[in-house]
Amino acid sequence: MNKKQLHPQKMKDLKDGEETEERIHPELEKYFGKLYNTRDNDKFTKFYEFDKYNDEYYIVIKGHHRNYSDKTIKTMFFGENKYNKGCELLKYKPDLKIIYCWACLDGIYYWPHNYSNALFDKRGRKNRGKDEMDDCVIIYKSYIRPISEHPLFSQ
């Protein structure tokens, strides 16, 4: 396989991710105001750590093809690179709000940056032609809220 050619599962995952971002965009705007896609702005790279932004918020969106209410799911996670980028942004703009969202089959859920303790560990997958292990931030579901409970920042 050519190095520049992506594995078919990776291409499908990227397409699914973009479709999820567009599908939930109107719902996110109800809570966070007018949002822009980072991929549409030349100041960001194609695979920038955040998916949506405005002057007040930077948002990561993770698609999740299960119900959040599934009792077998105890935690949710996202890449530690996204968390680290959030920390970096907050150094320059302390009032910025960083949000990590999960678009599940039964709704949208979120966790504000540093709202609670987080675990740091490796997570990965093997269904895209190679082992993909990444450093991740793991959040217990008890700290993740439905988007309808926004804002948590005032609590």
Side-chain angles (χ1 to χ4, degrees), residues 93-126:
K93 193 173 178 186
D95 293 334
L96 187 66
K97 294 176 178 74
I98 307 291
I99 302 289
Y100 306 92
C101 288
W102 291 269
C104 299
L105 295 177
D106 55 353
I108 303 169
Y109 299 85
Y110 82 112
W111 180 76
H113 187 88
N114 285 341
Y115 176 69
S116 64
N117 290 335
L119 303 172
F120 295 83
D121 200 0
K122 296 239 184 244
R123 290 284 191 266
R125 57 194 296 175
K126 298 177 182 184

Side-chain angles (χ1 to χ4, degrees), residues 41-122:
N41 187 325
D42 291 338
K43 82 175 187 176
F44 303 110
T45 61
K46 182 176 180 181
F47 297 108
Y48 189 66
E49 287 85 353
F50 294 91
D51 303 303
K52 307 285 183 182
Y53 74 100
N54 61 24
D55 289 339
E56 192 176 353
Y57 295 98
Y58 273 54
I59 301 171
V60 170
I61 299 169
K62 294 271 299 170
H64 197 62
H65 300 289
R66 293 174 75 177
N67 286 319
Y68 181 82
S69 58
D70 183 335
K71 301 280 189 246
T72 64
I73 300 171
K74 304 291 183 211
T75 61
M76 304 291 270
F77 68 93
F78 56 90
E80 188 175 343
N81 63 315
K82 297 169 188 308
Y83 178 84
N84 292 340
K85 187 64 166 187
C87 291
E88 180 184 319
L89 290 169
L90 289 169
K91 287 180 187 174
Y92 301 104
K93 193 173 178 186
D95 293 334
L96 187 66
K97 294 176 178 74
I98 307 291
I99 302 289
Y100 306 92
C101 288
W102 291 269
C104 299
L105 295 177
D106 55 353
I108 303 169
Y109 299 85
Y110 82 112
W111 180 76
H113 187 88
N114 285 341
Y115 176 69
S116 64
N117 290 335
L119 303 172
F120 295 83
D121 200 0
K122 296 239 184 244

